Amino acid sequence: MEVYKCYDDINPVKHLDSFKYKLFVNSLVFYSKSNQNIPHLLSSQVIIFSTEPEEEHRSFSKMKRGKSRPSKDDGKGQGESPCISFKAKFGSKLSKKIAPNMCVMTHHTECCYFTDEPAILETEDLDKGFGRTPDPDTISLASVTAVTTNVSNKRSKPDIKIEPGAGRPMDFQISVTVIECRQLVGLNMDPVVCVEIGDEKKYTSMKESTNCPYYNEYFVFDFHLPPDVIFDKILKLSVIHSKNLLRSGTVVGTFKMDVGTVYSQADHQFYHKWAILCDPDDITAGCKGYVKCDIAVVAKGDNIKTPHKANETDEDDIEGNLLLPEGVPAERQWARFYLKIYRAEGLPKMNTSIMANVKKAFIGENKDLIDPYVQVQFAGQKGKTSVQKSCYEPIWNEQIVFTEQFPPLCKRMKVQIRDSDKVNDVALGTHFIDLRKISNDGDKGFLPTLGPAWVNMYGSTRSYTLMDEYQDLNEGLGEGVSFRARLLVSLAVEILDTSSPEVMCSTEVQVEGVPNISDNAAGKIEEFFLFGAFLEATMIDRKIGDKPINFEVTIGNYGSEVDDTPTKPKSKKSKKGDGDDEESELIQGSSDEEVTDDGELVSVSTTPPMKPVITDRNYFHLPYFERKPCIYIKSWWQDQRRRLYNANIIDNIADKLEEGLNDVQEIFKTEKAFPERRLRGVLEDLSHGCSNFLELANKDQNQSGKTKLDRERLKSCMRELENMSQQAKTMRTQVKKKTVKDKFKQAQIFLQKLRFLADEPQHSVPDIYIWMISNGKRIAYARVPSKDILYSNVEEETGKDCGKVKTIFFKLPGKKGFGPAGWTVQAKTEMYLWLGLNRQRKDFLSGLPNGFEENKAVKGPGMQSAPPISLIYTMKQIFQLRVHLYQARSLFAADSTGLSDPFARVFFSTHSQVTEILNETLCPTWDQLLVFDNVELYGEACELRDDPPIIVIEIYDQDTVGKADFMGRTFAKPITKMSDEHYGPPRFPPQLEYYQVYRGNCTAGEMLAAFELLQIGPGGKADLPPIDGPTDMDRGPILPVPIGIRPVLSKYRIEVLFWGLRDLKRVNLAQVDRPRVDIECAGKGIQSALIQNYKKNPNFSTLVKWFEVDLPENELLHPPLNIRVVDCRAFGRYTLVGSHAVTSLRKFIYRPSDKSVNNWSTMGGKIPVKPDDEKDGKGKKKRKKGGEEAEEEELDESMLDWWSKYFASIETLMELQLLQNNYSSHSSCEQVFNRELENEFEHFEDWLHTFNLYRGKSGDDDEQNASDEDRLIGKFKGSLCMYKVPMTDDMGREMGIDSNMGMFQNIPHNDPINILVRVYVIRATDLHPADINGKADPYIAIKLGKTEIKDKENYISKQLNPVFGKSFDIEATFPMDSSLTVSVYDWDLVGTDDLIGETKIDLENRYYTKHRATCGITASYAIHGYNVWRDPMKPTHILAKLCKDGKLDPPQYGPGGRVKVANRVYTGPTEIEDENGLKKQTDEHLALAVLNHWEDMPRVGCKLVPEHVETRPLLNPDKPGIEQGRIEMWVDMFPKDMPAPGPALDISPRKPKKFELRVIIWNTDEVVLEDDDIFTGEKSSDIFVRGWLKGQQEDKQDTDVHYHSLTGEGNFNWRFIYPFDYLMAEEKIVISKKESMFSWDETEYKIPARLNIQVWDADHFSADDFLGAIELDLNRFPRGAKTAKQCTIDMVLNEQEMPMVNIFKQKRIKGWWPFVARDENDELEITGKVEAELHLMTGEEAEKSPVGEGRNEPEPLEKPNRPDTTLLWFLMPLKAIKHLVCNSYKWLIIKIVVVLLLLAMLGLFLYSMPGYMVKKLLGA
């Protein structure tokens, strides 16, 4: 290509080889000699730089391309050369500003061509220059990379992933913790919570007589299902009242939500949230209570982050913590969902010939054998329409009504057409209505609405068989493989006003009739025309056999072989006539009958059958050559193109954005300069695209069939895109070098939003299916969405593949397509497709490659407009394709050794070639050039230059026996050179690029290659550029990659640190004894020393070795380094143990440290460290949440223990935003990491790296890493360091001392050392239940080397959150015992104990790391107490050693509490107190202050591991990838050659403290009166009071009864005594009791301390009546009122405004409290008042001063002064009885007497009957 410089009118002559032009021109014009070069310029992106001659000022900007096309005079490229002009205006906007002199570059592939003028890449130059310098932060850049292929005019991008993603089952675990319920509606109930997911139910235990039961029970559900199925399952929580073995109980209320809603939350969980219960049978009732629970959904490989469990004070705020996704209002209203179902059409024929004949024989007629009905499932409920008997075009006109809360927490409604059958009903097709897509919850949003619109259903093939192997597809699982039917539906939602009287209370599903709908309601019927041409059919799987093959294309039922082809609907009907026999003949796609009698055009939907030809061992191809078969189909559909057009516009914006973001990603990955400039360009395009949408989307010609959803969606899309356009503009200005990564993430959110908006919920034209049929049998299919090939006059609205050649890969249907079977391509076609209205047909061939003649079926008048049945290409070009395959990396392990024997097979058009096979590697360097000679391509030369066909590269693993295994596939586009072009920069020679290799949907490595397609001109091959390979290698017939394309190499030295091997498993049943490590990189390598006896010492004797190797200058092209471990066996045999490929060597490249870094700290700044003063915390006032101040008494030193520190630390973790000095306790905090310690410190690989060794085939699971666990066979420990040779002087100096060690100076020796390992295990949380009762009996087991400790006798009964609080000491020898396993087992009385989960810790890396993970550094130094310094080395010793190792001057301790290290000054206290309170001088605090800030040290600084607790996930090998719970622990290590450490810290669980609560019930007042007096009829109550501590209902105590109270006053003077065990720190009562009479041992429960007091009315003959209750939380309850008058219901309703007391601080309190109960309307009302006195004593105090229960000794209470009426009973018993008999129970007594008499007579009759009968019979 030649580009000319224009000095206005001077003749320009110059090549574009060099970029160093200085041009003065205001608008630049390109001329080009032959117009075939023009499209290249159009299709590639243009970048402009300006270079000022006066000042070196440079900037990038972007040009708008002129839309000119090459003129097509005679199709052969001989037309006038058009000229493309680029005009650049000078505006004030910097982004558009282009300096007056510029040079232009075009680009096609990934490489950037501005490298020969490096200054362009230096930003410093941008700041110099004249006053108007554009700010470098405003420059934007058009596309720099084309990640896969360059998208161009005539071809569309192929889809790289072939395997269907949906429908494959995965492992899911759903865990639900039911914590407690509050405010349950009902009196004195015994509630049980039922958790139901799908059909599985689990129940909590029953709690007696309480409205706020506390459970804390954990349930786990395991599923193995496809994600779509599990996400649609409904999770239902219901509270059931008084359920027992005999009765199912009554439902109080339920809550439901689908599993998908939980999974879409952050971390896939709801934590400590309150679910609102409502009654499904009475929607007017309101809230029935709350259940507090945690719900988590974990898929395999997800990490659940468990928030730390703190003290439960904050979560009492129920309203603020509701179990609802964000954005859902707390008050959800009830709504009706009306789904109207009108009619269906196009149902598949279900009558097989056998069935039809049978039916004909019996009935004498062949009727439709299908009885369809529609079933709808939503929110766990099902509704069905009526069944339409024997009908293919059923008309229902019914609506199904669901009543559900709005917004519903269930996302999808499942609509299914089913065939009713006496044996079993089968689904014919399924459609899901996603409520998120048909509603909008914004301010200007709209309720869900849909239609009336047709929805298309897809499923299994239409040919009917008795056993349908693809039946799952009809159920909606997986991608449908053919059209099944379409259904006319509409959906509306009405919010109910539950207060109105006519509302139905129940939520039962109703089915009602609806009036018929007009024919045009869903749109006006139009005639559509579909045209397709098959340009190539290659890569046809050899397994299919060599029978003739043809292709069938269908759209809906049109074109289908199985059905009678539908014809044009009659004008009166608005539906397709699925015609009867007289209506149309089925016309096959043979070319004989083309025209019916009336001159109408009839569809041709299949290509003529053709025998395939062999390509190579795996594939056939069809010999289409110059004759390309075509198909065309006419069909009639409702004209709803506008929907598809809008979706296309949005899709096009999204595609462009995605491509741009891929560019930016690639710039990040390859670390090129200026990603921010490219991102600015991307955002500019986005904003422009969005504003473009606003102009296009609004114009709509036809209004018929426009639904409410169409209008609302249009509004909301326009709002969203307008918004996005603004945001993109604003973001563009904010993109700077620092922010580019953040803005990139934001742009990805835009992309997701666009994809969501583009998905149109109301279908119109069904998708197109293309089937490959071999010998009448359907083999493989491809599905093309109709919107992608839809034509429009407006370019932006056209589908992305319309009128373009698309590469389509065929896949196997249904489940056959899963796994390896689905990865082999069944066939690859190059297809041209066009779909549009029949009247728009004139241009339908315009996108085809030029140079063909049409071959029509019938030659004759009036047939000019008929489409061709084949195209005959008269033009063909001859090319040579050169494929430069350099290397691949990270390939799939296909052999049992864990390696592969890879070779690549390259397909282009109908040709294929293979590379050589490289044995035993996952990172082959083929370095091979494959030359394809005489490749014939049809079409015009200039179009082929821009749009060459794609190349497919497949990588296989060669096996000695059997067929090669498929390992992955990738695509590429070659760079094309026409015969009259110059072979030279910028396009040639092509650059090597990495291509991503896919295996199914997973990535499986990368391939480094380049591809060029060179036209062979009239001069033959002699004119082609020569192939100059490197001269130094002779590989026989194999051509190496030529110079100029192969990377430039330079010499590197690679040093290897061989440390040792760990955890080697057996190989072929034999143990590894004498292993050795082989390192290989780019053909060179080195071997480690041999380990003589792996068991005795698995470390290497020689630590460092090195080798030299030639590697590419470009670091991104470095080949991987392979590590292999072999075992040397007897007789010179070697066995491969395992291997590891280091794919990127970049992190091991040695870069000399920057000298300037060392001076930054010489300012000698002081860093004051707040002295951790011992007196800080004491006597402070602590701010309370309520805002008032509560006196905090002097803290008792003896109360503080290790657990105080632990809980304080957890709160720090919970409230990091609160500063530390808000704590009451002055205990120094430790750090609680809620993940593994090594994750916080880069796995402690600061100098010693662990390389996992693999063996065995990779798993074919969706997640590759899950199977890697099983392949792991051991670990190699060591490190690498590489640098260029010869070395620079600096490096020589750095290496300095020990030349044997190379770059690895100052590393410790690897001789065996003895260590004392001390493991502290605190607690485990959320263990997976192991027993049938949903609990486990956990205990700890620890294994290190040969030592194994099982703490079996200390198991904790029936706990899923056990507190262990134990430490274990183990002696170990590194390196033999370096892996510590901590397991939690479940104790079983009989049988073996089950493993719940385990965690493995690599102690060796912890021991040797510079982060010093042997013993955590505490925040403060103490020599006694719970906070004692644990390390045998004092802080001063540690600091001195660190300074010595880092070659720093030793620390200088100065007066006044200062220490100076490396020119930095730290301050701190200098005194310490011993046990006796004596103060001593010490420097330890100062040294500790430095250690805590060691990361600030220049050069040698790094964060030291603090005193900590780590949380590790427990995993079970049987359930890989799914967490089975977590364990909190830490490990200390002490070398045995150092002084011995002190005794282990005492972390044993706190023992609960004994307390006794004494409650005196003095009086009651205003208790409601329940009974009518039997004498006088006046109201009275026989009052007694009952009380118990929560969780101890069996110890409930009652007062005596105050009979016949007329005013509600009762006098008791009665004492309750409740002894209990209490944990102060956790504010919980501890109860140990047997769960049932069969339990082996007691279970410990922890329950909040709550006192329940109830008032009852005693009845003699019937059950006592419950009158009211109050529950007092002993830690926080309202202070009692002084008098009964002041005691109001506000004390319960407005707790937060009342003064609160804590009995544990107050000890004694007396006052009045209200009793409350719910009235008929569920409102709380006051039902009495009680005067009580609460007195709390510790166990010891209670023993010293005992008291009696009730009014007993010791310290008896005086008898109450009650009125005499209570004695009436005893004074007048007869009178009372008479009154009872005569008045109250007269009729009852009479009835009883009559019944007794009747029974007596019946008895006598039965008694005497037999005798009497005998008499009669004998005739006595």
Side-chain angles (χ1 to χ4, degrees), residues 1168-1379:
V1169 173
K1170 178 174 156 284
D1172 219 5
D1173 191 8
E1174 290 290 306
K1175 292 287 170 282
D1176 259 11
K1178 294 197 183 173
K1180 279 201 177 170
K1181 287 185 172 178
K1182 178 176 169 188
R1183 295 288 298 178
K1184 270 300 194 52
K1185 239 180 20 186
E1188 87 277 7
E1189 300 208 339
E1191 284 293 325
E1192 183 79 22
E1193 69 245 40
E1194 189 83 3
L1195 264 166
D1196 181 5
E1197 271 297 331
S1198 62
M1199 271 174 62
L1200 291 177
D1201 59 357
W1202 179 86
W1203 286 91
S1204 330
K1205 180 156 102 175
Y1206 172 71
F1207 284 119
S1209 309
I1210 287 187
E1211 285 185 8
T1212 319
L1213 193 72
M1214 299 288 292
E1215 310 161 2
L1216 281 173
Q1217 62 275 25
L1218 281 181
L1219 290 167
Q1220 223 163 341
N1221 42 9
N1222 277 24
Y1223 293 152
S1224 56
S1225 79
H1226 68 286
S1227 54
S1228 76
C1229 288
E1230 57 199 331
Q1231 251 178 301
V1232 178
F1233 295 116
N1234 55 7
R1235 51 183 191 161
E1236 299 96 312
L1237 182 67
E1238 55 267 30
N1239 287 0
E1240 305 280 338
F1241 291 92
E1242 288 134 24
H1243 293 275
F1244 297 118
E1245 293 194 342
D1246 35 285
W1247 64 269
L1248 185 58
H1249 293 262
T1250 305
F1251 300 98
N1252 286 343
L1253 302 168
Y1254 294 107
R1255 178 185 180 82
K1257 291 190 182 190
S1258 290
D1260 284 330
D1261 219 45
D1262 266 0
E1263 302 87 14
Q1264 307 253 294
N1265 48 2
S1267 59
D1268 282 354
E1269 295 288 309
D1270 312 332
R1271 298 178 49 234
L1272 189 64
I1273 198 157
K1275 295 172 180 170
F1276 163 61
K1277 289 206 170 174
S1279 188
L1280 303 164
C1281 176
M1282 57 186 282
Y1283 48 87
K1284 279 191 182 169
V1285 282
M1287 290 192 300
T1288 59
D1289 298 345
D1290 292 355
M1291 286 172 70
R1293 275 207 299 282
E1294 294 246 338
M1295 272 175 63
I1297 328 144
D1298 182 354
S1299 55
N1300 292 337
M1301 298 300 280
M1303 289 295 165
F1304 297 105
Q1305 298 295 326
N1306 298 337
I1307 62 167
H1309 58 78
N1310 66 352
D1311 303 338
I1313 45 175
N1314 293 323
I1315 303 277
L1316 172 69
V1317 178
R1318 190 169 277 170
V1319 184
Y1320 292 90
V1321 181
I1322 298 158
R1323 62 175 181 174
T1325 50
D1326 293 338
L1327 295 180
H1328 193 293
D1331 297 340
I1332 309 162
N1333 59 11
K1335 294 280 194 291
D1337 307 319
Y1339 66 87
I1340 296 279
I1342 290 185
K1343 186 168 188 289
L1344 179 61
K1346 295 195 177 64
T1347 316
E1348 195 162 355
I1349 300 174
K1350 280 202 168 183
D1351 193 24
K1352 193 168 176 169
E1353 52 281 2
N1354 292 320
Y1355 72 91
I1356 294 173
S1357 171
K1358 297 195 178 53
Q1359 260 298 349
L1360 296 177
N1361 295 305
V1363 175
F1364 294 111
K1366 283 199 156 3
S1367 63
F1368 304 91
D1369 282 13
I1370 309 168
E1371 293 197 5
T1373 308
F1374 288 173
M1376 283 64 91
D1377 322 326
S1378 63
S1379 181

Side-chain angles (χ1 to χ4, degrees), residues 778-837:
R778 290 171 182 268
I779 303 290
Y781 79 102
R783 175 175 176 176
V784 180
S786 48
K787 76 180 181 71
D788 287 355
I789 56 168
L790 183 67
Y791 172 76
S792 161
N793 302 325
V794 182
E795 190 187 350
E796 286 88 346
E797 297 174 348
T798 309
K800 60 174 192 273
D801 300 330
C802 172
K804 290 187 176 177
V805 179
K806 181 174 170 68
T807 303
I808 294 179
F809 291 96
F810 282 67
K811 51 193 176 193
L812 291 169
K815 287 189 176 145
K816 290 183 185 171
F818 288 154
W823 296 336
T824 48
V825 173
Q826 298 303 304
K828 161 182 171 272
T829 58
E830 299 269 318
M831 259 197 95
Y832 172 87
L833 288 164
W834 188 96
L835 171 70
L837 291 189

Side-chain angles (χ1 to χ4, degrees), residues 170-176 197 202 218-225 230-231 235 259 262-263 267-269 295-302 304 1326-1329 1396 1514-1516 1518-1526:
M170 288 168 60
D171 283 323
F172 285 93
Q173 179 177 300
I174 302 177
S175 53
V176 180
I197 300 180
K202 298 193 176 179
Y218 178 73
F219 304 98
V220 175
F221 299 80
D222 290 309
F223 293 100
H224 182 71
L225 290 171
I230 184 102
F231 291 165
L235 183 148
V259 174
V262 185
Y263 197 75
D267 296 336
H268 313 311
Q269 67 177 342
I295 305 177
V297 180
V298 196
K300 193 167 174 181
D302 284 342
I304 280 282
D1326 293 338
L1327 295 180
H1328 193 293
I1396 295 177
L1514 294 168
L1515 296 172
N1516 190 329
D1518 299 342
K1519 300 179 188 157
I1522 293 188
E1523 237 177 62
Q1524 304 296 308
R1526 319 185 114 208

Side-chain angles (χ1 to χ4, degrees), residues 1716-1788:
V1716 291
R1718 290 186 182 268
D1719 59 12
E1720 304 80 74
N1721 305 331
D1722 273 351
E1723 298 293 322
L1724 280 177
E1725 62 175 1
I1726 188 160
T1727 55
K1729 301 173 182 180
V1730 62
E1731 182 185 17
E1733 180 176 343
L1734 278 64
H1735 186 189
L1736 182 76
M1737 307 181 89
T1738 61
E1740 304 88 63
E1741 292 168 353
E1743 269 178 32
K1744 283 179 197 153
S1745 56
V1747 291
E1749 266 190 36
R1751 293 194 279 272
N1752 299 340
E1753 295 279 345
E1755 291 196 27
L1757 299 169
E1758 64 183 53
K1759 278 198 167 170
N1761 177 19
R1762 291 179 181 160
D1764 295 342
T1765 46
T1766 47
L1767 302 174
L1768 275 175
W1769 260 103
F1770 307 109
L1771 297 177
M1772 295 176 281
L1774 290 169
K1775 202 170 172 188
I1777 288 168
K1778 173 183 163 222
H1779 183 85
L1780 279 176
V1781 170
C1782 297
N1783 298 7
S1784 311
Y1785 298 112
K1786 183 164 76 183
W1787 290 109
L1788 181 66

Side-chain angles (χ1 to χ4, degrees), residues 824-855:
T824 48
V825 173
Q826 298 303 304
K828 161 182 171 272
T829 58
E830 299 269 318
M831 259 197 95
Y832 172 87
L833 288 164
W834 188 96
L835 171 70
L837 291 189
N838 204 12
R839 56 171 188 267
Q840 296 174 323
R841 218 168 82 189
K842 61 179 193 312
D843 284 340
F844 72 93
L845 295 173
S846 62
L848 276 161
N850 293 338
F852 59 84
E853 289 169 2
E854 297 181 40
N855 171 22

Side-chain angles (χ1 to χ4, degrees), residues 308 1232-1236 1509-1513 1526-1528:
H308 257 281
V1232 178
F1233 295 116
N1234 55 7
R1235 51 183 191 161
E1236 299 96 312
V1509 172
E1510 55 177 314
T1511 309
R1512 304 186 66 87
R1526 319 185 114 208
I1527 188 165
E1528 294 182 20

